[in-house]
Amino acid sequence: MMQLEFDADHAQLSRSMFVSRLLGQVHVRTIHPFMLDLVCNWLDCCFRFRSKMSSVNQNGSAIPTKKLNILQKAQKKSGKFFMKTKNFYKNVKRKFHVKETTPDSSLINSQNARDISSANYNSRGRNRVMPPSSSPFSPPPPPPPPPNQPPDLTNAQEILNEELVSHTNHLLEEMARDISPNFFRNPQQTAKRPAEDEKRHWIGFGDISMSGYDTAWLSMVPEAQYKRIQMPSKFKLAFPECFTWLIDVQHVEGGSNGFGYQSVSSAMATLLALGKFRINTESFFEEKLTELGISREQYDHAFLRNEAFLRLALNQWDIHETSSASGAELIIPYHLTELEKFEPPITLEFPNQAELFQDNNVNILKDIFFLAEEHQRTTILHWLEAFIGAMNLSYFQTSDFRANNGSYGSSPAATAAVLIGSDDWDNEAFKFLKRLLAKRPTFATNFGLVPTICDLGIFEACAVLQSLGEIAMMNSRQKRGASKSRILRQMIASLQCFISYLRALLIEQKGVLRSASFDNKMPTSVDETAIAYYLITQFDPSYSIQLEPFINDFWNGEYFLNSPDEEAFTTSSNVHIVQFLLAERENAKKRLEFPLDVDVDTEEGSKRVRIDCFIIPALEFIRSQRSSQCIWTDHWHSSPWYTTMKSIQVLLSLQQNPKMLSKTSFKTKGDLLSFCRATIDYALSLQHADGSWGEQSSVNASGNMEETSYVIRLLQAASQSWPSDGVLISAIYKGRNYLSQNLNEAMTERSYFHLKEPYLWLNKVPYTLPRVIRASVLLSMWDDSNAPRASWEYIS
């Protein structure tokens, strides 16, 4: 331990020497005032202990035993306090980037040191009072930067980046625990199907919002005994808590989710559930209500308010703006038909109603019967409730369609429909729904008791890792050769575990992935497969991939389909696959396997085809999907910015491959930049005054965090092509400033995106994916030090 001598005449000088030696004779270049105050208070406390002990020793007089014991304890405590202070400052020095300098002898040896020290401490030595232009630890600060010059934001951004890495680690750990408690010990084993003893407990994984529509369908499921005997006096509900939720949770307007298609589907299912209860109980109606703790007045009030709200919502609903992912052409006609069977019938009319009935589902029913007989997997399984009465759902009560956990189509509503519309009671499906209800988060019950998709695990993992993996790659570029902090090493190790998990999943699922975890009996998906392959090749460029199954399953000659043997496609899926194929093309060059060819199945037999023959048409398809407003939309997301951001990123990446660019309709870099700039300018024109973009959230903001993060990522990609565009860089900083206001709350509170942000992902009802959004926000906040910076005059 450092030994210092104190005397009465040179107490202040000794104090200065103590400070100088403790700090290692350094110059504090950038340090937070609060931290500096904390260091000074610790130092002063340490000084007072040692000064008091020194004065006692110089006196030489006898000291009473009690007082001696107190001083000895003080001496021991001051020594420990000194070491803690020294270690504390080392951490401060590391975190705030303290710069080593030559000792300032005048500070230690001159009388000025005594004056500086006494001027900055009061008589009790506790409160540090700093003059505006000096510090006891450093020379006078440099003059402020001249006007219109940006300040040095490097250290502040690096500190923020460490905070972002910490949030990233928390997100990865949370997702890993959801997949399996032993995920990091053996990620490869986690990718396999759950063991027999785990099937009873496995539901699926993924953080997703609750759905009033699916809750209403669970409320229609009767108990197994009633299904066998069909006696109104014996009628009981399998999930009574769902029915009471329909009565208790009603907004002022009668619906559960406001206006729009989401309220139409939920209100229709709620009205159908309330009416079915009255039909099934017949003369025992009020008796059965009483058993549930519901009065007749409560029931009638809920029914009438829901009907009135539904009529209002239908008249304000534009069916042309409804995504095909919602299945409205299946769900709405079924509910309308069933409501007309009531006594008295409920007839609902609204604009463009006839368009929903143009396809009378005859062809769809024929396809379903064929698929059921052939035991072929299909995404239509997700909307089984729309076919009750039109076909016997007992066809699907086989291991070819029922997942290991007992669900159907990864949908609570479809699973409930099998319990309602099949001949035999499905006990595995019933147990699954009971487990799903028990898992519901208490903070989100205002929106429902079950989610609209019960298992979205692999899609969530791929989407989260795509964003967080980009953070790791950016960090690798900007700190190449530099030592990495502990939390950064932890992040990279966690990401490597997830990459091993994706590899094992691809092996387990024979080279193509599904959106949900394990064996959910849904078709494979091009989106998750492309993202997984892209991530694996980014972390391991030497990894060799068999492209033949991938191309043959999803390529239709012009673009890539979402699932094999189906006609649905999305722009974002094609963007992900082009991104992967471009990366694999470059990796093939490094492996000396270029040009890269693929064996494709044709009518004439197998044919060897160059990989560019798939990339270029897919790029042209992506270009053709842009709207007249210079944005892209997709079936799975209500915001255009998710798909627009993805599309601009992959198009701008063509600048790195001039030969590939010349084969497209863009031809030149100038044409490409002109095309993309129209989208960039449109995005800049829509930024709100508070720096956000998109639909209003419930946290006193003009926009929301999810859409803001997408546009920031869009502008980050654009900033590499327009490095001197101050308006563009300014918009990025304003957007980040908006995100930073609620960053910690959004990253640490699980309920944040469930309760305070809009639901933008689309299915039977809109839903939210908090982990996917959190990963996107973290990526948008991360600053690559190689990126250009705007002039200070543009940043406010």
Side-chain angles (χ1 to χ4, degrees):
M1 183 181 297
M2 185 186 300
Q3 298 295 325
L4 296 176
E5 297 297 331
F6 295 89
D7 57 55
D9 296 331
H10 299 88
Q12 298 296 336
L13 179 60
S14 299
R15 186 197 303 261
S16 298
M17 293 176 63
F18 182 85
V19 170
S20 288
R21 294 190 191 181
L22 176 63
L23 299 187
Q25 297 166 343
V26 298
H27 164 49
V28 182
R29 181 167 60 90
T30 304
I31 187 168
H32 195 283
F34 171 78
M35 284 297 193
L36 199 56
D37 284 338
L38 190 58
V39 171
C40 291
N41 287 334
W42 277 33
L43 292 175
D44 192 70
C45 185
C46 182
F47 165 78
R48 287 187 294 105
F49 274 123
R50 296 182 65 84
S51 178
K52 184 180 295 185
M53 194 64 198
S54 176
S55 62
V56 169
N57 290 339
Q58 289 178 2
N59 190 359
S61 58
I63 304 175
T65 303
K66 185 175 181 180
K67 188 173 183 180
L68 180 62
N69 291 339
I70 293 174
L71 291 175
Q72 287 175 344
K73 289 180 181 179
Q75 183 181 26
K76 184 177 180 181
K77 186 175 180 180
S78 67
K80 291 181 178 179
F81 202 66
F82 170 82
M83 292 306 296
K84 288 182 179 178
T85 305
K86 189 173 183 179
N87 292 334
F88 173 82
Y89 187 76
K90 285 182 179 178
N91 292 332
V92 173
K93 175 182 174 182
R94 175 186 59 79
K95 186 168 184 178
F96 291 93
H97 307 279
V98 177
K99 182 179 178 182
E100 299 283 350
T101 62
T102 305
D104 188 354
S105 57
S106 64
L107 180 64
I108 300 176
N109 299 324
S110 70
Q111 182 63 28
N112 292 337
R114 192 178 310 157
D115 299 335
I116 292 174
S117 183
S118 60
N120 285 284
Y121 289 84
N122 64 10
S123 59
R124 298 185 62 187
R126 289 185 180 272
N127 299 322
R128 175 174 172 269
V129 184
M130 292 294 301
S133 60
S134 63
S135 165
F137 310 114
S138 65
N148 298 332
Q149 289 292 324
D152 185 4
L153 302 178
T154 305
N155 291 336
Q157 183 62 49
E158 288 186 3
I159 295 169
L160 174 60
N161 284 355
E162 280 209 16
E163 182 183 352
L164 298 178
V165 171
S166 179
H167 288 313
T168 298
N169 287 333
H170 175 73
L171 177 56
L172 290 171
E173 291 168 3
E174 178 186 308
M175 192 164 64
R177 285 195 305 269
D178 196 12
I179 297 173
S180 171
N182 300 318
F183 178 84
F184 286 123
R185 294 181 183 177
N186 195 344
Q188 294 89 346
Q189 183 65 30
T190 306
K192 297 181 179 179
R193 298 179 182 179
E196 290 297 323
D197 59 338
E198 293 178 346
K199 288 182 183 179
R200 297 190 301 271
H201 309 290
W202 174 61
I203 298 174
F205 59 91
D207 189 4
I208 184 172
S209 54
M210 298 294 102
S211 162
Y213 173 85
D214 292 80
T215 303
W217 268 97
L218 263 67
S219 73
M220 291 186 248
V221 179
E223 277 192 346
Q225 181 183 4
Y226 174 80
K227 190 175 181 66
R228 290 193 302 267
I229 62 176
Q230 297 289 312
M231 292 177 58
S233 62
K234 301 295 183 182
F235 179 83
K236 285 188 178 181
L237 294 172
F239 309 105
E241 63 268 45
C242 293
F243 189 81
T244 56
W245 181 88
L246 299 180
I247 303 293
D248 295 338
V249 181
Q250 290 289 320
H251 289 181
V252 175
E253 66 274 15
S256 56
N257 285 313
F259 289 102
Y261 171 70
Q262 69 273 18
S263 59
V264 169
S265 59
S266 296
M268 276 191 173
T270 298
L271 202 61
L272 183 62
L274 295 174
K276 289 282 188 182
F277 183 88
R278 184 166 54 189
I279 293 172
N280 291 332
T281 54
E282 296 182 0
S283 59
F284 299 92
F285 170 55
E286 293 192 17
E287 177 184 333
K288 296 302 178 181
L289 280 178
T290 304
E291 290 178 3
L292 295 173
I294 302 170
S295 67
R296 177 62 184 267
E297 290 75 19
Q298 286 178 302
Y299 174 90
D300 290 342
H301 184 63
F303 191 94
L304 292 173
R305 289 181 64 187
N306 224 288
E307 181 183 355
F309 169 75
L310 181 56
R311 293 184 185 279
L312 180 62
L314 281 170
N315 284 312
Q316 297 188 7
W317 172 39
D318 184 357
I319 66 172
H320 301 111
E321 295 181 355
T322 304
S323 168
S324 61
S326 66
E329 71 279 8
L330 301 175
I331 291 173
I332 300 302
Y334 168 79
H335 285 81
L336 291 174
T337 303
E338 290 297 309
L339 290 173
E340 288 178 353
K341 296 177 182 179
F342 286 3
E343 290 294 340
I346 297 178
T347 304
L348 300 169
E349 296 180 354
F350 52 93
N352 303 311
Q353 181 176 353
E355 295 184 26
L356 287 175
F357 290 88
Q358 285 179 353
D359 296 328
N360 57 10
N361 299 333
V362 172
N363 293 330
I364 296 177
L365 284 171
K366 289 180 180 179
D367 292 341
I368 292 177
F369 274 115
F370 172 78
L371 294 171
E373 291 175 355
E374 296 294 322
H375 304 286
Q376 184 175 335
R377 296 178 179 182
T378 172
T379 54
I380 206 70
L381 203 64
H382 188 69
W383 291 274
L384 271 183
E385 69 270 20
F387 302 99
I388 294 180
M391 66 180 298
N392 191 336
L393 299 189
S394 299
Y395 281 108
F396 297 97
Q397 287 183 296
T398 68
S399 58
D400 294 304
F401 297 104
R402 182 176 57 213
N404 282 351
N405 61 3
S407 67
Y408 289 86
S410 195
S411 165
T415 307
V418 172
L419 290 172
I420 297 170
S422 59
D423 295 334
D424 300 320
W425 181 256
D426 194 324
N427 203 44
E428 292 299 318
F430 171 73
K431 289 180 179 178
F432 166 77
L433 291 176
K434 290 291 285 186
R435 294 196 302 272
L436 191 62
L437 275 169
K439 188 185 177 182
R440 64 184 183 269
T442 56
F443 57 76
T445 53
N446 281 342
F447 301 98
L449 303 183
V450 291
T452 191
I453 305 174
C454 52
D455 183 5
L456 208 60
I458 294 179
F459 172 78
E460 179 192 73
C462 289
V464 169
L465 294 175
Q466 189 178 31
S467 296
L468 301 187
E470 186 64 28
I471 292 178
M473 287 182 275
M474 282 199 298
N475 185 79
S476 176
R477 290 195 298 267
Q478 71 183 34
K479 287 190 175 181
R480 187 165 295 163
S483 60
K484 295 180 173 60
S485 64
R486 179 187 61 82
I487 59 174
L488 183 57
R489 292 195 303 270
Q490 178 186 346
M491 182 188 78
I492 295 173
S494 298
L495 286 171
Q496 291 286 4
C497 285
F498 275 100
I499 297 301
S500 300
Y501 169 69
L502 293 179
R503 285 184 179 180
L505 276 176
L506 286 165
I507 295 172
E508 185 71 19
Q509 299 185 13
K510 298 180 175 56
V512 284
L513 298 180
R514 297 180 293 271
S515 60
S517 56
F518 301 118
D519 190 9
N520 71 328
K521 306 303 169 67
M522 292 290 284
T524 54
S525 169
V526 68
D527 206 25
E528 290 77 10
T529 307
I531 295 174
Y533 276 135
Y534 173 75
L535 287 168
I536 292 171
T537 55
Q538 290 299 298
F539 277 79
D540 183 8
S542 64
Y543 185 79
S544 182
I545 296 173
Q546 294 295 323
L547 295 175
E548 283 76 8
F550 188 72
I551 299 294
N552 289 320
D553 281 354
F554 300 107
W555 179 250
N556 78 336
E558 299 179 10
Y559 49 82
F560 291 92
L561 301 171
N562 289 346
S563 297
D565 304 320
E566 298 192 9
E567 298 180 359
F569 64 87
T570 59
T571 304
S572 58
S573 295
N574 278 268
V575 168
H576 289 147
I577 197 168
V578 168
Q579 183 185 39
F580 156 62
L581 292 178
L582 286 172
E584 179 61 12
R585 189 176 183 273
E586 295 303 311
N587 290 334
K589 293 180 181 179
K590 298 175 183 177
R591 299 194 301 264
L592 303 180
E593 298 175 1
F594 191 80
L596 190 61
D597 296 331
V598 181
D599 290 323
V600 180
D601 297 332
T602 64
E603 294 179 357
E604 294 81 16
S606 181
K607 183 180 179 181
R608 197 77 174 161
V609 180
R610 190 67 44 88
I611 194 68
D612 293 6
C613 296
F614 306 104
I615 297 176
I616 294 173
L619 284 168
E620 297 298 336
F621 169 76
I622 293 169
R623 175 179 183 172
S624 68
Q625 294 301 299
R626 193 172 80 164
S627 71
S628 58
Q629 292 181 306
C630 301
I631 55 176
W632 284 263
T633 57
D634 226 340
H635 302 313
W636 303 107
H637 208 281
S638 63
S639 171
W641 298 119
Y642 175 78
T643 310
T644 300
M645 173 264 297
K646 298 280 186 179
S647 301
I648 288 295
Q649 285 178 337
V650 76
L651 289 177
L652 287 177
S653 70
L654 293 177
Q655 297 175 85
Q656 303 170 10
N657 197 328
K659 290 184 178 180
M660 175 71 70
L661 177 61
S662 65
K663 297 177 183 178
T664 67
S665 57
F666 294 114
K667 299 300 182 183
T668 65
K669 178 180 177 180
D671 292 340
L672 173 67
L673 292 180
S674 177
F675 179 83
C676 294
R677 185 67 206 200
T679 299
I680 304 303
D681 290 338
Y682 182 68
L684 291 172
S685 69
L686 295 180
Q687 187 173 27
H688 300 306
D690 60 359
S692 65
W693 278 271
E695 180 182 332
Q696 185 175 5
S697 64
S698 59
V699 288
N700 298 321
S702 301
N704 60 82
M705 295 187 75
E706 181 177 1
E707 292 184 271
T708 300
S709 71
Y710 297 150
V711 181
I712 290 176
R713 291 167 62 184
L714 164 70
L715 299 181
Q716 283 175 322
S719 68
Q720 304 301 316
S721 301
W722 290 277
S724 59
D725 190 329
V727 175
L728 191 153
I729 305 300
S730 172
I732 294 176
Y733 279 101
K734 289 177 181 178
R736 285 179 177 163
N737 182 61
Y738 164 77
L739 292 178
S740 66
Q741 295 172 14
N742 298 296
L743 182 65
N744 288 329
E745 183 182 3
M747 294 299 135
T748 56
E749 289 190 15
R750 189 185 169 196
S751 63
Y752 184 85
F753 289 101
H754 288 270
L755 303 180
K756 297 182 179 181
E757 295 283 317
Y759 292 6
L760 301 176
W761 293 82
L762 298 176
N763 198 261
K764 299 171 187 179
V765 295
Y767 62 97
T768 188
L769 296 171
R771 289 174 187 156
V772 176
I773 302 170
R774 286 159 63 189
S776 180
V777 170
L778 289 171
L779 176 55
S780 66
M781 289 291 292
W782 185 274
D783 183 63
D784 189 345
S785 63
N786 296 321
R789 295 186 179 276
S791 298
W792 178 244
E793 60 182 323
Y794 289 106
I795 303 174
S796 58

